[in-house]
Amino acid sequence: MVTWFSRKRTRVEAPKLRSRSEVLATTKVDLVEFTPELMEFLGRAAYVQLTLFENLGRALAMAPTTSAKAALSRAAELSMVKHRGLAGVIEKSGGSVADVMEPYATGIDGFQRVTLGSDWFETIVTCYLTAGFLDDFFVRLAAGLPPASATQVIGVLSQDSGEALLAEELRSAMEANPRLASRLAMWGRRLVGDTMLLARQSLTYSENHKSDEARIEPVFTELIAAHTRRMDSLGLTA
Amino acid sequence: MVTWFSRKRTRVEAPKLRSRSEVLATTKVDLVEFTPELMEFLGRAAYVQLTLFENLGRALAMAPTTSAKAALSRAAELSMVKHRGLAGVIEKSGGSVADVMEPYATGIDGFQRVTLGSDWFETIVTCYLTAGFLDDFFVRLAAGLPPASATQVIGVLSQDSGEALLAEELRSAMEANPRLASRLAMWGRRLVGDTMLLARQSLTYSENHKSDEARIEPVFTELIAAHTRRMDSLGLTA
């Protein structure tokens, strides 16, 4: 319990620059007692962002129209800004970006493989839903970092990730082809399991699994509620 | 001839910010009389940059090590900065990025397909050689744009594109596997033809094909010499 309280004290509020941060600042549950050491956190979060960026790159290369390409190139840029922001924090902390990410690469590559999607539409759903979920998750987990790092990391992760651009592409695709919706809804429901698993693997657990689960559960309930809102905003049933 | 001189007057010197620009500023041959209208130029150049970025994204996703991923993510960021820089010029000129690129997409997609490469190493050679060639080419062609646009475009295209990062990856791959060099040399020689073809398709010709060819030839001789230097710097025979 001593450890619990001492970590609790290092909590910082998310900067109130963006709408997503405003939501988070009023959130009562976070993951401060599960935050790994700084370099582990940064290695995992930076590699996750690189993976999200790669997914957008793949979606960009497969885009069926020049207009979709233009939208995705903007989203890819925003995603790259996040990865580079975290890479910058690693470098300022004296680490090599590649070395710090290396231990977590294989696990996150596995997540990437199972969430790839079977076509362009599913890949876009993956980009939209997993980026939203994982950014939310890592912002909550970052709250347990040393305060200066927490502020930097939360600042990076709370930036716009082009969610609206992706949602717009998906909405117009489903308008043109209404049968797409049920397939994409199924894909969206499937994604949440794999994404939660990746998030859980990023937590540093205590010895007491039962109490850990009790603390983690309300956070994941909120993350899943946000996932459901993201699906709702596309008109998909979660 | 009147047209020739009046366009010639609009020539601007490349800004002397970077080493590549310094080389270009001393170059005597350019392509000012073949420069298309501003929006055509921007549409072609922006879509080419997007294609170069996509190629880096593909190389990033296929990268065999985390360290290669880290280097490629930096190169992809620099490449994206160029595309977004040109997209910004389109938007400031009142155009929609997607609409302005659209007419040139199919032709440039064809170039992308034939220059894809059969594995990661060939794709990196493509990223390294075609980006170098096409940036050089579009800088020379940009000299014929209205002066303010020319300055902006040349500023964007003369930025670092991560060439050194790609060369470093290729050099260490060839050190680890010396047999790679002859295959990559062959690939590099093949690329120059397809890249020149794309460049030529971006020129606005006059009625006089013979005199056009006489003017174009020395420029392409210089572009090919730069291509050869890029191959030399990897230890490949062009």
Side-chain angles (χ1 to χ4, degrees):
Chain A
M1 290 299 276
V2 171
T3 310
W4 193 90
F5 278 109
S6 90
R7 297 206 77 164
K8 186 84 179 168
R9 278 211 321 249
T10 65
R11 178 177 180 179
V12 294
E13 289 296 308
K16 303 200 175 186
L17 296 168
R18 315 262 168 175
S19 56
R20 180 187 286 170
S21 310
E22 279 164 37
V23 174
L24 286 164
T26 63
T27 298
K28 291 291 169 282
V29 292
D30 59 43
L31 291 162
V32 295
E33 65 262 55
F34 303 99
T35 307
E37 291 306 307
L38 178 62
M39 283 304 184
E40 178 178 342
F41 177 94
L42 291 172
R44 286 186 186 278
Y47 200 83
V48 163
Q49 288 299 324
L50 190 54
T51 300
L52 298 174
F53 169 75
E54 280 181 28
N55 291 348
L56 280 167
R58 184 176 290 114
L60 176 61
M62 297 193 293
T65 64
T66 306
S67 129
K69 260 193 208 287
L72 287 172
S73 81
R74 178 78 185 125
E77 182 195 18
L78 294 169
S79 171
M80 176 48 85
V81 166
K82 291 193 178 183
H83 167 69
R84 294 304 311 173
L86 296 176
V89 180
I90 293 174
E91 282 160 356
K92 261 183 248 159
S93 313
S96 136
V97 180
D99 293 349
V100 169
M101 296 192 303
E102 180 66 39
Y104 317 109
T106 309
I108 300 166
D109 286 347
F111 163 77
Q112 185 179 36
R113 265 192 304 278
V114 294
T115 58
L116 201 58
S118 62
D119 67 2
W120 186 72
F121 303 107
E122 289 188 2
T123 301
I124 301 284
V125 170
T126 298
C127 293
Y128 172 72
L129 291 177
T130 65
F133 191 106
L134 292 168
D135 281 357
D136 270 9
F137 168 76
F138 278 108
V139 163
R140 286 158 196 261
L141 195 60
L145 294 174
S149 304
T151 304
Q152 285 180 304
V153 166
I154 293 170
V156 167
L157 291 177
S158 303
Q159 289 169 288
D160 179 19
S161 58
E163 224 174 54
L165 294 164
L166 300 179
E168 187 50 38
E169 285 302 315
L170 285 168
R171 272 189 222 104
S172 61
M174 288 187 288
E175 257 170 52
N177 180 4
R179 292 175 58 196
L180 207 51
S182 64
R183 178 156 69 86
L184 296 184
M186 205 187 314
W187 179 244
R189 287 194 291 273
R190 233 203 77 176
L191 283 174
V192 73
D194 293 313
T195 312
M196 272 180 62
L197 199 64
L198 179 69
R200 281 182 162 275
Q201 285 165 355
S202 310
L203 300 175
T204 297
Y205 294 92
S206 77
E207 300 286 297
N208 187 337
H209 297 300
K210 208 167 163 186
S211 107
D212 278 356
E213 286 305 319
R215 280 282 303 151
I216 292 167
E217 203 202 320
V219 183
F220 278 82
T221 301
E222 283 190 5
L223 292 170
I224 292 167
H227 174 89
T228 304
R229 280 195 298 277
R230 267 178 223 109
M231 287 188 67
D232 282 348
S233 89
L234 298 179
L236 301 178
T237 318
Chain B
M1 288 299 276
V2 171
T3 309
W4 193 89
F5 278 109
S6 91
R7 298 205 76 162
K8 186 84 178 168
R9 278 212 321 250
T10 65
R11 179 177 179 179
V12 293
E13 290 296 308
K16 302 201 176 187
L17 296 168
R18 315 263 169 176
S19 56
R20 181 187 286 170
S21 310
E22 281 165 35
V23 175
L24 285 164
T26 63
T27 297
K28 291 290 169 279
V29 290
D30 59 43
L31 291 162
V32 294
E33 65 261 56
F34 303 99
T35 308
E37 291 305 306
L38 178 62
M39 284 304 183
E40 177 178 341
F41 177 94
L42 291 171
R44 287 185 184 277
Y47 199 83
V48 163
Q49 288 298 324
L50 190 55
T51 300
L52 298 173
F53 169 76
E54 280 182 30
N55 290 347
L56 280 166
R58 184 176 289 115
L60 176 62
M62 297 192 293
T65 65
T66 306
S67 130
K69 259 192 209 288
L72 288 172
S73 81
R74 177 77 185 125
E77 183 196 18
L78 294 169
S79 170
M80 177 48 86
V81 166
K82 291 193 179 184
H83 167 70
R84 293 306 308 174
L86 296 177
V89 179
I90 292 174
E91 282 159 357
K92 260 182 249 158
S93 312
S96 136
V97 181
D99 292 348
V100 169
M101 296 192 302
E102 179 67 38
Y104 317 108
T106 309
I108 300 167
D109 286 347
F111 162 78
Q112 186 179 36
R113 267 193 303 280
V114 294
T115 59
L116 201 59
S118 62
D119 67 2
W120 186 73
F121 302 108
E122 289 189 0
T123 301
I124 300 285
V125 170
T126 298
C127 292
Y128 171 71
L129 291 176
T130 64
F133 190 107
L134 291 168
D135 281 358
D136 271 9
F137 168 77
F138 279 107
V139 163
R140 286 158 197 260
L141 195 59
L145 294 174
S149 304
T151 305
Q152 285 180 306
V153 166
I154 292 170
V156 168
L157 290 178
S158 303
Q159 288 170 290
D160 180 19
S161 58
E163 225 175 53
L165 294 163
L166 300 179
E168 188 50 39
E169 285 303 316
L170 285 168
R171 273 188 220 104
S172 61
M174 287 187 287
E175 258 170 50
N177 179 5
R179 290 176 60 197
L180 207 50
S182 64
R183 178 157 68 87
L184 296 185
M186 205 186 315
W187 180 244
R189 286 193 292 273
R190 232 205 76 177
L191 283 174
V192 74
D194 292 313
T195 312
M196 272 179 62
L197 199 63
L198 180 68
R200 281 181 162 275
Q201 284 165 357
S202 309
L203 301 174
T204 298
Y205 295 91
S206 76
E207 300 287 296
N208 186 338
H209 297 300
K210 207 166 164 187
S211 107
D212 279 355
E213 285 306 318
R215 280 282 304 151
I216 292 167
E217 202 203 320
V219 182
F220 278 82
T221 301
E222 282 189 4
L223 292 170
I224 291 168
H227 174 88
T228 303
R229 282 194 298 276
R230 267 178 224 110
M231 287 188 68
D232 282 348
S233 90
L234 299 178
L236 302 178
T237 318

